[in-house]
Amino acid sequence: MPFREPDPADPNVLVGVELPASPEAMREMAYAFAEEYAALGYGEEQLLRLFRQPAYAGPHQALAGLGEPEIRRIVRECVDVYGRVRFVVRDSDERIVKLRLPARPRKET
Amino acid sequence: MSTVHNWQLGRPMQYPYDAAYPERQFAFVFNINRCIACQSCTMACKSTWTFNKGQEHMWWANVETKPYGGYPQSWDMKILELLERANPGGQRWNGAGAGKPTSPYGRFDGKTIFETQETLLQPPSSRVLGYLPDDEEWNSPNIWEDNPVGPKGERNRLHPTGEALPVHKTWFFYLARICNHCSYPACLAACPRKAIYKRPEDGIVLIDQEQCRGYRKCVEACPYKKSIYRGNTRTSEKCIACYPRVEGKDPESNGQPMETRCMAACIGQIRMQGLVKLKSDGTWAEDRQHPLYYLVHVAKVALPLYPQFGTEPNGYYIPPRWVPRPYLRQMFGPGVDLAIERYSNPDRELLAVLQLFRRDNRIIYRYAMEKGPEIYRGKLRDRTITLYNDTVIAYGRNGNELFRTTVEEPFHVRPDKHANSI
């Protein structure tokens, strides 16, 4: 079949847009999610569940692209750093708030 | 046209009205590195404000997959193309004056959406460069994105691997968006009935539903496409920044200003919202211990979304570090390289401020740090990570403490069967 270079001026030619991409972008994304969530306190299993969940297409695509052993290695590397500490949040006393909702009118019988 | 100063562009700019600035400005920072597009924010907003008849297509808060997603479809590419046609080859930044409070990102030499009248792209009556998306573009907020669907014919079931749709095998990230409550709103500039106003107390931009007649000039003008027409009321509607919560009228808040519903629902803890002090010239007043001031003007890790549009948006983003820089520079301006460098190698204070995200639903007005000892130093991918047992304290509107975050090293209890194994 003869091949012609596509003519971008031809309205019938499907023009694709080339995206610059580094082969390491997927790994970098996986590291970003793993680091961020490890810093939030996620452990290894919790983080792996995030990557396995297909509804979270970003982490899941990293798992599909890099494979579970590599994702597990990335997760372990990040948990090894951030899992050493646990962030604790202490509310001030004012945080205990009593809800004051209007009383519901009683139905007359 | 009046001349106003746009500090994000580092230069004076044409705007249809005289400059007027609120006492405090509603602003927010989203950390894209953490967003996994769970859409909790989207649904929190939807279930609070836009669940009525006639609002089916209306998503005041949305999360879209970049670079190929968008709601409405291709909104950013379309407005960028219009600007390029209005000023071919001229949409450029130069580094002049970069780093100053009045021009932190340098100077934008191109044209904003308010400065293209002479190119006659639109009728002379148009004050703002824009376009009106058609119904198809509004209908499917996440069309062609990587959202898994269920097998055909089976309800309430996800595809087990999420690959029912074509998978884009390239880099991508999730961009969460709400109205930016801009300092120079294009919607306000375009409204022929002056039905849109910016509140002097908090800078929230609202559409007066009594005044609106649904001409859709705001829909056409808003470059972020966050003003949306509602067919059954024949008016336009937009994000109201959950203003009853920001005013402290939510019963849960005990009178304290609260963050919006989309912020509060964020499970990835990517969001922080606040009210920043402005100077009389519209630039941010120095407020060193305000977390948003710190992220935008001190650490400089949070950048405005498409500042070149010229509306001075008040939504700021910590850019995703895995995405090619040219794309990010187009989206967030020339501050991207510094922002990613600093975010990837955070200093002690940045690590502390990042711990304030989503720890409370009440708005933080000030933070303080009590320094503690170093508890870990090690390498992660050739970067040195140092963790400190610092305490970060958040304060509310009245100077009262809201909460404090600290670090605990985990302790391990030896199980009974190994109790005497030493």
Side-chain angles (χ1 to χ4, degrees):
Chain A
M1 196 172 166
F3 176 78
R4 280 188 303 130
E5 286 296 327
D7 176 8
D10 179 352
N12 290 325
V13 168
L14 179 65
V15 179
V17 180
E18 188 181 342
L19 290 171
S22 143
E24 283 301 292
M26 188 74 83
R27 191 181 312 276
E28 190 60 38
M29 180 171 76
Y31 264 108
F33 285 128
E35 273 185 56
E36 293 290 345
Y37 282 83
L40 288 181
Y42 278 45
E44 184 178 327
E45 277 312 308
Q46 266 181 305
L47 261 167
L48 282 171
R49 278 205 292 276
L50 178 78
F51 279 93
R52 286 184 192 130
Q53 171 57 262
Y56 302 139
H60 188 71
Q61 193 165 316
L63 183 125
L66 300 173
E68 180 144 345
E70 177 63 3
I71 293 293
R72 188 181 285 274
R73 189 193 66 74
I74 290 171
V75 164
R76 279 195 182 146
E77 199 180 337
C78 297
V79 170
D80 190 44
V81 172
Y82 292 102
R84 290 166 187 268
V85 296
R86 193 159 58 100
F87 294 100
V88 181
V89 182
R90 292 198 176 86
D91 288 319
S92 66
D93 294 341
E94 282 185 25
R95 189 71 187 94
I96 304 156
V97 174
K98 288 177 187 161
L99 280 177
R100 285 189 292 273
L101 296 175
R104 183 176 293 178
R106 285 185 181 174
K107 281 183 185 171
E108 288 185 18
T109 52
Chain B
M1 283 279 180
S2 299
T3 301
V4 297
H5 182 78
N6 186 323
W7 65 263
Q8 293 177 354
L9 303 183
R11 68 168 173 84
M13 179 190 82
Q14 298 296 303
Y15 186 69
Y17 293 107
D18 289 340
Y21 306 107
E23 283 171 41
R24 281 189 178 264
Q25 172 63 53
F26 173 95
F28 57 87
V29 168
F30 290 174
N31 183 356
I32 298 178
N33 291 281
R34 285 183 186 170
C35 184
I36 52 173
C38 67
Q39 305 283 5
S40 301
C41 51
T42 310
M43 295 315 297
C45 176
K46 187 77 183 161
S47 59
T48 308
W49 300 113
T50 61
F51 53 82
N52 284 305
K53 195 174 177 183
Q55 295 178 307
E56 292 84 355
H57 65 300
M58 204 176 263
W59 302 89
W60 292 354
N62 76 299
V63 183
E64 56 201 43
T65 311
K66 289 294 176 196
Y68 40 79
Y71 168 75
Q73 287 165 37
S74 309
W75 61 274
D76 48 350
M77 291 303 113
K78 289 192 172 186
I79 192 71
L80 286 169
E81 192 184 346
L82 283 175
L83 282 166
E84 186 62 31
R85 275 171 48 202
N87 184 26
Q91 296 296 92
R92 296 279 179 270
W93 292 82
N94 78 47
K100 291 182 185 168
T102 50
S103 57
Y105 316 121
R107 182 186 163 96
F108 180 63
D109 287 337
K111 288 183 189 265
T112 68
I113 57 171
F114 306 112
E115 298 170 321
T116 57
Q117 269 77 12
E118 68 272 23
T119 55
L120 298 176
L121 284 174
Q122 293 192 302
S125 60
S126 290
R127 297 173 188 161
V128 184
L129 180 70
Y131 75 99
L132 206 53
D134 62 29
D135 288 351
E136 194 127 309
E137 292 170 349
W138 288 114
N139 276 348
S140 309
N142 289 98
I143 195 166
W144 300 322
E145 298 184 24
D146 284 331
N147 285 344
V149 294
K152 200 168 184 181
E154 291 184 43
R155 295 185 187 183
N156 304 324
R157 196 176 146 212
L158 288 177
H159 193 281
T161 61
E163 290 165 1
L165 288 175
V167 175
H168 299 81
K169 291 188 187 295
T170 182
W171 55 270
F172 60 93
F173 65 95
Y174 300 118
L175 186 71
R177 300 201 300 123
I178 62 171
C179 168
N180 289 298
H181 297 276
C182 304
S183 294
Y184 304 113
C187 55
L188 185 152
C191 180
R193 288 185 57 81
K194 298 189 178 174
I196 302 180
Y197 61 103
K198 191 167 173 64
R199 305 205 313 177
E201 62 269 38
D202 50 24
I204 291 173
V205 177
L206 297 175
I207 301 177
D208 184 339
Q209 294 293 301
E210 296 289 317
Q211 295 295 318
C212 179
R213 290 292 177 273
Y215 297 159
R216 286 180 262 190
K217 288 289 177 189
C218 55
V219 183
E220 185 181 329
C222 173
Y224 303 97
K225 296 296 168 232
K226 280 297 175 190
S227 188
I228 306 165
Y229 181 68
R230 180 171 174 179
N232 63 342
T233 59
R234 297 181 185 175
T235 58
S236 295
E237 295 181 4
K238 64 179 284 302
C239 158
I240 58 169
C242 293
Y243 69 81
R245 287 170 68 95
V246 173
E247 289 171 356
K249 299 214 172 114
D250 189 296
E252 190 197 336
S253 75
N254 226 7
Q256 289 285 316
M258 279 182 90
E259 296 195 9
T260 64
R261 287 277 290 128
C262 58
M263 312 282 166
C266 180
I267 62 159
Q269 305 184 12
I270 80 158
R271 297 169 174 236
M272 183 189 285
Q273 177 233 310
L275 296 164
V276 295
K277 281 189 219 164
L278 296 186
K279 289 201 283 195
S280 57
D281 65 355
T283 55
W284 288 26
E286 185 170 342
D287 194 359
R288 179 63 182 76
Q289 295 306 117
H290 193 290
L292 297 187
Y293 183 88
Y294 173 78
L295 292 167
V296 174
H297 285 287
V298 181
K300 296 187 168 66
V301 294
L303 303 167
L305 178 65
Y306 290 117
Q308 65 268 43
F309 292 167
T311 62
E312 213 178 275
N314 289 300
Y316 295 83
Y317 292 81
I318 301 178
R321 58 187 218 206
W322 62 88
V323 172
R325 299 296 170 85
Y327 186 84
L328 292 179
R329 285 186 206 113
Q330 175 180 259
M331 184 171 264
F332 300 112
V336 158
D337 298 282
L338 180 68
I340 292 183
E341 169 62 24
R342 287 203 174 150
Y343 186 73
S344 301
N345 301 284
D347 64 13
R348 189 172 187 170
E349 188 166 5
L350 180 55
L351 278 175
V353 171
L354 289 171
Q355 288 303 321
L356 296 171
F357 279 62
R358 298 271 35 84
R359 301 298 195 211
D360 201 290
N361 289 343
R362 291 167 295 179
I363 291 178
I364 301 169
Y365 283 71
R366 183 169 69 84
Y367 72 93
M369 248 178 93
E370 288 175 2
K371 290 189 175 177
E374 179 182 314
I375 51 172
Y376 173 77
R377 183 187 291 260
K379 290 272 185 192
L380 181 61
R381 303 180 79 207
D382 299 328
R383 287 184 289 131
T384 301
I385 307 284
T386 312
L387 302 174
Y388 300 89
N389 189 0
D390 291 338
T391 301
V392 201
I393 310 162
Y395 297 95
R397 181 173 58 182
N398 304 325
N400 48 329
E401 181 178 325
L402 300 178
F403 64 90
R404 54 179 62 208
T405 301
T406 188
V407 168
E408 268 183 9
E409 292 177 72
F411 61 91
H412 302 281
V413 178
R414 185 176 291 277
D416 287 345
K417 67 176 182 175
H418 298 306
N420 295 315
S421 61
I422 299 174

